[in-house]
Amino acid sequence: MKYKYLFFDLDGTLCETKTGVQRCFNYALSFFGKEEKDYTVLDDVIGPPILDSLMARGLSKEEAETGLEKYRERYNKIGIFEELKVFEGMEEVLKKCREKGYIISTATSKPEHYAKMILEKLDIAKYFDLIAGASFDESRNTKDKVLNYAMDKLNVKDKKEVLLIGDTKFDLIGAENVGIDAVAVRFGYAKIGELEMYENVAILDTAKDLENFLVKGE
């Protein structure tokens, strides 16, 4: 195998989590009277840190921190499991990759605590050697910081042995920033044409395509 370590993004790559994230984000915006009626304008909040997305909507750093507290208030009670599911075929990908002998980790900008809860709820935590995510204090909140954290935890010696699997530009930029390869999947949350603008080994349409790439080298 060319790669030894597989790092999977969570939102939009492993799992359908958009509904919960968007509803919690809108709940946070409503605290400031900025609630969106059209949820399609919230597609851009999937991927980057929630704090950054709040500030991108005109909130100050202090307001955004309050907004993040409101987001987590709803997310802890309802949003984390709201219309949550594994993307079709992705559990089979994890199973086959495990059988192939890969060391498997997540690399998500979602807080690590939530990532563990989600993977356990979906009964796919068993496929992972490490569940790596962001920290609640925002000190580890970007993709590159999470990737470096995961590589440190797994004692990675050669970055050429690491592959990130993601679905948005934030994954591809993060991989480029830390010097590892990445593949992108089209069934996630990227905008049309977004994935082609960044460095990647391959852009794959389906979970089956991903399985063939990782397991069969096709």
Side-chain angles (χ1 to χ4, degrees), residues 190-209:
K191 296 179 181 178
I192 295 175
E194 175 182 309
L195 299 175
E196 289 80 2
M197 297 173 64
Y198 298 90
E199 296 259 346
N200 54 71
V201 174
I203 302 175
L204 305 168
D205 292 322
T206 67
K208 190 64 179 179
D209 292 336

Side-chain angles (χ1 to χ4, degrees), residues 143-160:
K143 186 66 64 167
D144 52 341
K145 289 179 180 178
V146 173
L147 286 168
N148 281 323
Y149 163 75
M151 286 190 286
D152 286 343
K153 294 281 280 187
L154 291 172
N155 198 29
V156 173
K157 301 298 185 184
D158 186 355
K159 291 182 179 180
K160 291 181 180 179

Side-chain angles (χ1 to χ4, degrees), residues 118-179:
I118 287 170
L119 297 186
E120 287 169 2
K121 173 71 173 180
L122 295 170
D123 196 30
I124 58 174
K126 59 192 175 187
Y127 299 112
F128 291 86
D129 297 281
L130 175 68
I131 298 175
S135 58
F136 274 126
D137 65 4
E138 298 298 308
S139 63
R140 186 176 69 247
N141 65 345
T142 59
K143 186 66 64 167
D144 52 341
K145 289 179 180 178
V146 173
L147 286 168
N148 281 323
Y149 163 75
M151 286 190 286
D152 286 343
K153 294 281 280 187
L154 291 172
N155 198 29
V156 173
K157 301 298 185 184
D158 186 355
K159 291 182 179 180
K160 291 181 180 179
E161 294 182 327
V162 182
L163 180 70
L164 174 68
I165 300 95
D167 70 301
T168 69
K169 64 181 181 182
F170 301 103
D171 300 305
L172 302 179
I173 292 170
E176 186 176 353
N177 285 345
V178 301

Side-chain angles (χ1 to χ4, degrees), residues 21-157:
V21 170
Q22 289 183 329
R23 288 179 179 174
C24 292
F25 192 86
N26 226 9
Y27 177 78
L29 290 179
S30 69
F31 184 76
F32 300 97
K34 294 177 175 287
E35 184 174 6
E36 296 284 359
K37 294 182 179 180
D38 180 3
Y39 270 73
T40 61
V41 303
L42 296 178
D43 285 351
D44 64 329
V45 308
I46 310 296
I50 295 298
L51 193 70
D52 292 352
S53 294
L54 288 167
M55 287 191 289
R57 281 167 167 76
L59 299 183
S60 67
K61 178 72 179 297
E62 185 177 30
E63 289 173 329
E65 288 172 348
T66 299
L68 182 58
E69 291 177 5
K70 302 303 291 185
Y71 173 93
R72 288 175 176 167
E73 177 183 294
R74 187 184 187 281
Y75 196 75
N76 279 320
K77 295 178 181 177
I78 307 170
I80 187 169
F81 299 135
E82 206 162 27
E83 296 187 24
L84 179 68
K85 64 180 180 180
V86 181
F87 278 117
E88 183 178 355
M90 285 305 293
E91 182 170 3
E92 187 66 14
V93 171
L94 293 172
K95 180 181 178 183
K96 291 288 181 64
C97 287
R98 191 74 177 172
E99 292 170 352
K100 185 79 172 177
Y102 286 110
I103 295 171
I104 305 174
S105 175
T106 60
T108 175
S109 296
K110 184 183 294 299
E112 193 170 291
H113 173 73
Y114 292 148
K116 289 178 179 177
M117 290 176 66
I118 287 170
L119 297 186
E120 287 169 2
K121 173 71 173 180
L122 295 170
D123 196 30
I124 58 174
K126 59 192 175 187
Y127 299 112
F128 291 86
D129 297 281
L130 175 68
I131 298 175
S135 58
F136 274 126
D137 65 4
E138 298 298 308
S139 63
R140 186 176 69 247
N141 65 345
T142 59
K143 186 66 64 167
D144 52 341
K145 289 179 180 178
V146 173
L147 286 168
N148 281 323
Y149 163 75
M151 286 190 286
D152 286 343
K153 294 281 280 187
L154 291 172
N155 198 29
V156 173
K157 301 298 185 184

